[in-house]
Amino acid sequence: MRLIQAGSALRLRAGLRPRRVVLTDAHGELPARELQDIATLLRGRGDRAPRLTDLPADAPLRQVLATALASDGALDLRSSGSTGDPHLQHRGPLTPAQLRTLLDLARRIGLRPGVRIASAAPGVHGHGLLVALGALALGAPLVDLTHLRPAARVRLLRDTAPRILTGVPVHLADVLTADQARCEGRPLRIARVVSGSDVLAPDLRADLARHFRARVHDVYGTTETGSLTVDGRPLRGVRIREQHGLLHVRSPFTGGRELVTDRGSVDARGRVVVTGRADGAVSSGGMLHHPKAVARLLAGHPGVAGVRLRLVDDQRYGTRTVAEVTVADTVDDSGTPGVEELRALVRDRLGAAAVPREVVLVSGPAPGDPDLSSPDGSPAPR
């Protein structure tokens, strides 16, 4: 999440091997020198350095990398919300302890210089950003699958033959299904598959291992704490204990504090098992947000009379949010907000992960308070 030294690492590598390919995507290969030039151009625009929080949720990794490098060693990220309401976090250069934790993560998943890694995780969020900057700093060629449809992802995987594939479980399932449909008896061979940002179901883990003949890793962590475990085993410098069914975490990224992350347990051998979220956040395809915070924000818009947020079962994402917004009566249409305006409001204040997958404008009596209902229509537990 915070391999901020990637900038100096790239400058060194670009100076020594400026033609070295650091990334391959649907647009072709991106050499180190070209990425460095893009970052320089971004740095020279205006008075304020570009921020990752300015990028859309589907920004390609070359844009994410250039923006991160243009920030001159400091990144502004929105927290995942795992340890409280989402908020802006300012991160500077890594400490030695943080670097040791991340190097242990890279070792356990097999990421090292020269090893090609394909990422399907959005680069503006912790998982995808960690992969992109980590690969850049280590000199591991990166393959960007984030902005492609499943069939196109499989084609790029076949063209580049990466050793590691990483993504949120829903993305990994998409790649698996697409390759099963098109492999004609010759499935992709991927040495390691790394899942993160959401629960990896045992059946999916087994299918990924069998189809790709891969070693499958499940990485657990949060934006606030950094990566914590690989396959249940804590990383170097991470301390996790269980109390009353909650996981209490202290890591090099928590500034000496102990934070409560999720529900779970720690067995006698120190293996961590996560059983559920402890904070009311909702995961939709690995993207976390707080529905109550979204409802409160929308309800505060002057053109909104009321908000009802529903959690709807979704076959692909597990859960998706639908915001039913009752518009306020106005003399003319100037005060009536549009769908895109409301989506932009949530994205700007709470981050791209919090934007409801569907916003519906309705008329009629406004509810008394912002409402949140579960997939079956009943009030969600508070």
Side-chain angles (χ1 to χ4, degrees):
M1 259 160 281
R2 308 164 185 127
L3 281 177
I4 312 306
Q5 280 88 341
S8 58
L10 173 64
R11 284 187 282 274
L12 174 61
R13 294 179 187 281
L16 297 175
R17 300 184 63 181
R19 296 183 181 179
R20 180 178 185 139
V21 173
V22 296
L23 179 143
T24 303
D25 59 15
H27 302 291
E29 296 180 338
L30 180 66
R33 176 63 70 186
E34 185 176 335
L35 177 58
Q36 188 179 31
D37 290 344
I38 296 172
T40 300
L41 288 173
L42 287 176
R43 196 181 298 116
R45 290 183 179 177
D47 298 329
R48 182 175 70 87
R51 296 176 180 174
L52 292 173
T53 50
D54 296 332
L55 299 181
D58 57 352
L61 291 184
R62 62 172 63 204
Q63 185 179 9
V64 171
L65 286 174
T67 302
L69 296 179
S71 66
D72 287 326
L75 297 181
D76 286 333
L77 298 174
R78 289 199 181 275
S79 70
S80 67
S82 296
T83 59
D85 286 343
H87 59 280
L88 202 62
Q89 294 186 322
H90 183 76
R91 296 297 177 185
L94 291 173
T95 66
Q98 291 169 344
L99 183 59
R100 285 192 292 270
T101 298
L102 293 178
L103 288 176
D104 187 30
L105 170 63
R107 179 186 62 83
R108 292 202 205 176
I109 66 173
L111 182 62
R112 59 182 185 273
V115 171
R116 184 174 284 111
I117 178 170
S119 179
V124 297
H125 297 287
H127 181 171
L129 185 61
L130 171 63
V131 170
L133 292 181
L136 189 64
L138 288 173
L142 185 66
V143 179
D144 181 11
L145 309 177
T146 62
H147 55 297
L148 301 176
R149 293 183 179 277
R153 287 176 175 174
V154 169
R155 287 195 296 270
L156 188 56
L157 286 170
R158 290 189 176 277
D159 290 341
T160 55
R163 182 172 177 80
I164 304 173
L165 167 65
T166 185
V168 176
V170 66
H171 301 143
L172 300 176
D174 286 346
V175 172
L176 173 65
T177 300
D179 194 51
Q180 287 173 330
R182 295 167 175 80
C183 69
E184 297 180 349
R186 298 178 59 189
L188 285 164
R189 291 290 177 262
I190 301 174
R192 300 196 189 216
V193 175
V194 182
S195 174
S197 300
D198 206 354
V199 177
L200 178 63
D203 288 349
L204 177 58
R205 183 171 191 158
D207 289 343
L208 291 167
R210 180 170 50 252
H211 181 79
F212 296 124
R213 298 184 184 177
R215 183 177 178 182
V216 181
H217 299 290
D218 189 6
V219 178
Y220 167 64
T222 74
T223 305
E224 297 86 348
T225 63
S227 297
L228 298 172
T229 70
V230 177
D231 301 323
R233 294 187 298 116
L235 292 166
R236 185 176 180 182
V238 173
R239 300 291 180 267
I240 303 178
R241 66 182 181 89
E242 180 266 333
Q243 183 176 8
H244 304 306
L246 297 176
L247 298 176
H248 294 248
V249 171
R250 191 189 305 273
S251 83
F253 291 99
T254 63
R257 297 175 299 154
E258 184 176 76
L259 302 179
V260 176
T261 55
D262 294 295
R263 298 188 181 279
S265 62
V266 182
D267 66 20
R269 286 188 275 184
R271 184 174 180 272
V272 178
V273 178
V274 180
T275 57
R277 301 204 59 82
D279 57 1
V282 172
S283 175
S284 180
M287 310 293 271
L288 296 177
H289 63 278
H290 285 246
K292 291 180 182 178
V294 175
R296 286 195 299 267
L297 176 62
L298 292 176
H301 189 288
V304 172
V307 177
R308 181 172 183 260
L309 229 67
R310 293 188 296 117
L311 309 181
V312 179
D313 288 330
D314 188 283
Q315 184 174 5
R316 181 165 183 259
Y317 294 105
T319 301
R320 61 185 172 91
T321 53
V322 178
E324 296 179 351
V325 178
T326 302
V327 296
D329 293 332
T330 56
V331 176
D332 52 39
D333 292 335
S334 62
T336 302
V339 169
E340 291 308 314
E341 178 185 347
L342 295 175
R343 291 173 62 87
L345 174 65
V346 176
R347 182 179 63 250
D348 293 343
R349 298 286 185 85
L350 300 177
V355 178
R357 294 194 178 274
E358 184 178 354
V359 177
V360 180
L361 299 181
V362 298
S363 58
D369 295 296
D371 181 45
L372 176 64
S373 297
S374 60
D376 62 3
S378 60
R382 297 184 182 273

